């Protein structure tokens, strides 16, 4: 299997920063930047509540019980939304893993069904499938957008060639046996489309905006209720830190290419080893 050329981390960081400057909302697609950014924003909200909203302290003292109810309800709502969003990200991650397994199964089935084709067509189909498998593994492992574009182009070219190599003998000899080979190739090519759709199925930005808004309100309330001190103590930054870590984990799971938690093509690589791909 051909290996991708190494990429400098500094170049990737500069490219990511350029993308963020063009579209700041896309920071949720870069977990490594989202962690410090969310911590700074939430810490700033806590500091503003403790230092710049002193005029509300007297009113809060009069309605202390009601304030605690509002603060507790806001934190509870934030915890629920974080939990639901984490579940959404985890479901999408599991879907990507399952589709990788389905893709490997479709590969193995169609590789065996190539025996149903005429000798020359079967050999050509296996040769193309080996190259196609190589590209599918690269698709899972690459993080570089330019390399990904080249992989997608080569994948489309190989798909056309694979379809042609099974359709031609099936048209010349339209038998149920040939139909098995055609159906197997159809399933194989379809799995790539399902995988592609799963990788672009991300948590909506509107959900991120809602969750971030509630988190900032929670941090502001915590700072505002900081016991009459004019500045928050170190303990008040625990909440921004915990929320930021939760945000980072969700964003990391929801980022198939830029996160640390990635779907590895283990089944496809095992299949490649069984086929003895160099």
């Amino acid at each position: 299997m051909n290996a991708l050329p190494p990429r400098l981390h500094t170049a990737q960081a500069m490219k990511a920063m350029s993308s963020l400057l063009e579209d700041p909302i896309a920071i949720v697609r870069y977990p490594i930047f989202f962690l410090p950014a969310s911590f700074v924003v939430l810490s700033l909200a806590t500091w503003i509540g403790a230092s710049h909203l002193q005029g509300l302290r007297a009113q809060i003292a009069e309605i202390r019980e009601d304030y605690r109810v509002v603060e507790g309800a806001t934190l509870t709502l934030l915890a629920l939304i974080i939990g639901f969003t984490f579940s959404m990200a985890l479901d999408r991650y599991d879907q990507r893993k399952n589709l990788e397994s389905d893709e490997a199964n479709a590969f193995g089935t169609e590789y065996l069904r190539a025996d149903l084709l005429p000798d020359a067509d079967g050999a050509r189909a296996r040769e193309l499938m080996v190259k196609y498998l190589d590209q599918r593994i690269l698709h899972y492992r690459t993080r570089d957008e330019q390399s990904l574009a080249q992989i997608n182009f080569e994948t489309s070219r190989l798909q056309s060639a694979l379809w042609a190599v099974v359709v031609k003998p099936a048209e010349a000899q339209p038998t149920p046996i040939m139909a098995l080979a055609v159906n197997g190739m159809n399933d194989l090519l379809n799995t790539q489309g399902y995988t592609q759709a799963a990788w672009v199925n991300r948590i909506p930005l509107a959900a991120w905006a809602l969750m971030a808004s509630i988190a900032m309100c929670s941090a502001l309330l915590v700072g505002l209720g900081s016991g009459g001190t004019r500045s928050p103590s170190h303990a008040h930054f625990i909440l921004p830190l915990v929320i930021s870590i939760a945000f980072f984990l969700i964003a990391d799971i929801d980022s198939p290419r830029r996160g640390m938690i990635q779907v590895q093509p283990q089944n496809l690589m095992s299949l490649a080893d069984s086929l003895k791909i160099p």
Side-chain angles (χ1 to χ4, degrees), residues 11 41 71 125 131 133-135 163 184 193 212 219 234 237 262 266 270-271 275:
V41 171
E71 183 183 32
K131 295 179 181 179
L133 179 58
D134 184 16
Q135 295 302 314
W163 184 247
H234 295 297
F237 291 104
Q262 297 185 352
Q266 297 178 349
S270 296
L271 178 61
L275 299 179

Side-chain angles (χ1 to χ4, degrees), residues 72-253:
T74 304
L75 292 172
T76 301
L77 178 61
L78 176 62
L80 288 174
I81 292 180
I82 288 177
F84 289 144
T85 309
F86 177 78
S87 178
M88 291 171 59
L90 199 59
D91 288 342
R92 285 162 169 77
Y93 176 78
D94 289 338
Q95 183 185 33
R96 292 192 291 268
K97 287 184 61 178
N98 292 335
L99 287 173
E100 187 271 339
S101 176
D102 293 343
E103 194 166 359
N105 291 335
F107 258 108
T109 300
E110 183 59 18
Y111 194 85
L112 294 176
R113 289 185 181 181
D115 289 336
L116 303 177
L117 299 172
D119 293 341
D121 294 320
R124 177 60 177 166
R126 290 192 184 92
E127 179 184 355
L128 290 173
M129 287 181 64
V130 167
K131 295 179 181 179
Y132 185 61
L133 179 58
D134 184 16
Q135 295 302 314
R136 295 306 299 149
I137 293 175
L138 291 179
H139 169 83
Y140 279 88
R141 304 184 69 177
T142 185
R143 297 190 181 189
D144 183 72
E145 295 295 335
Q146 293 182 351
S147 299
L148 182 61
Q150 179 62 33
I151 291 170
N152 290 335
F153 174 80
E154 183 66 15
T155 297
S156 298
R157 187 188 68 82
L158 289 171
Q159 284 179 336
S160 299
L162 282 168
W163 184 247
V165 82
V166 297
V167 167
K168 183 178 179 180
E171 290 177 343
Q173 189 180 0
T175 63
I177 294 179
M178 286 297 173
L180 285 175
V182 174
N183 289 335
M185 185 61 68
N186 182 69
D187 293 339
L188 173 60
L189 301 183
N190 282 342
T191 56
Q192 186 271 339
Y194 299 147
T195 300
Q196 196 79 11
W199 279 55
V200 299
N201 183 19
R202 312 283 290 279
I203 294 176
L205 291 177
W208 279 110
L210 175 63
M211 189 164 55
S213 299
I214 297 177
M216 286 189 288
C217 290
S218 300
L220 191 67
L221 289 173
V222 169
L224 188 59
S226 55
T229 60
R230 293 191 59 84
S231 60
S233 64
H234 295 297
H236 289 97
F237 291 104
I238 295 178
L239 178 65
L241 178 61
V242 171
I243 295 176
S244 299
I245 293 175
F247 283 1
F248 168 75
L249 180 59
I250 294 172
D252 193 88
I253 296 175

Side-chain angles (χ1 to χ4, degrees), residues 4-42:
L4 287 175
R7 296 291 189 270
L8 296 176
H9 295 291
T10 54
Q12 292 180 346
M14 291 299 294
K15 187 181 297 184
M17 289 299 295
S18 176
S19 300
L20 292 177
L21 291 176
E22 295 176 0
D23 185 12
I25 300 179
I27 192 172
V28 297
R29 308 307 189 204
Y30 297 88
I32 194 64
F33 296 110
F34 190 40
L35 175 61
S38 58
F39 177 71
V40 169
V41 171
L42 294 176

